[in-house]
Amino acid sequence: MRAYHCRAEQMRARPPRLILITEQTIAGDQLLPRASACLRAAQPGMVALQLRDRQLSARQRIDLGRALGAECRRWGQFLVVNERVDLALLLEADGLHLPEQGVSAAEARALAPTLWLSAACHELPAVSGSPRAELPGAQLDAWLVSPVISPRKGRSALGVAGFQALSVALTAAAREDGQA
């Protein structure tokens, strides 16, 4: 068993309280020093750093992922890779974040059974209309919900009522799976 499998188990036992998402188009060459400062400022195990940066070439993303992974391990934090199961495994990441459209949680779990898994949820039908296997439990460790307060990328905000309905649906699903 590799060390990163143990780290993913640590994430499940005590999920990170903060998730930082990389965006090199905004941070530029300050991404690594800023990320390192944030990782250092938090207690170990409190932060997941999510490597997103889809606009980068595969080589650039691998190099950035290796540098960010080293910083995460240096400061006792977690590395999560966006979307790419192969990249998460190559970088020995602790977790994988799935977009709404792409590899399903069941497929990701089959390919990388030990990784901590999160998925994006941008609207209620993504959860309430999903097949049972896509609800949390054996498949996902967390949902990242957005936008809640204000519109983003052409999507309407869920609002408090939408967020509450989503919370009720996810709590009920977790109870059915014996997790709540």
Side-chain angles (χ1 to χ4, degrees), residues 15-167:
R17 301 294 183 247
L18 300 169
I19 298 175
L20 304 177
I21 302 173
T22 64
E23 189 63 59
Q24 196 168 42
T25 57
I26 296 171
D29 60 1
Q30 290 300 303
L31 179 89
L32 190 58
R34 287 179 179 177
S36 182
C38 290
L39 297 171
R40 179 180 60 241
Q43 292 179 347
M46 297 296 286
V47 177
L49 181 60
Q50 185 176 319
L51 173 61
R52 186 172 181 203
D53 297 291
R54 293 178 286 225
Q55 78 286 355
L56 297 178
S57 71
R59 170 61 23 214
Q60 291 171 318
R61 211 165 168 200
I62 290 168
D63 291 344
L64 179 59
R66 285 186 173 141
L68 293 171
E71 287 301 300
C72 286
R73 281 161 184 72
R74 178 180 181 193
W75 301 110
Q77 310 297 358
F78 303 107
L79 178 66
V80 175
V81 171
N82 215 65
E83 193 174 357
R84 299 266 314 266
V85 180
D86 59 339
L87 187 57
L89 293 171
L90 177 71
L91 295 173
E92 297 187 353
D94 306 300
L96 175 67
H97 176 72
L98 303 171
E100 281 185 318
Q101 306 298 317
V103 174
S104 72
E107 291 165 329
R109 188 62 76 203
L111 293 168
T114 60
L115 289 181
W116 180 86
L117 289 181
S118 65
C121 180
H122 299 295
E123 55 191 352
L124 286 173
V127 172
S128 60
S130 291
R132 183 68 187 95
E134 288 303 303
L135 290 171
Q139 302 300 319
L140 291 175
D141 298 300
W143 285 100
L144 279 89
V145 180
S146 144
V148 175
I149 305 302
S150 61
R152 184 172 184 266
K153 294 184 180 180
R155 298 178 195 261
S156 298
L158 288 172
V160 175
F163 183 80
Q164 186 175 23
L166 183 61
S167 178

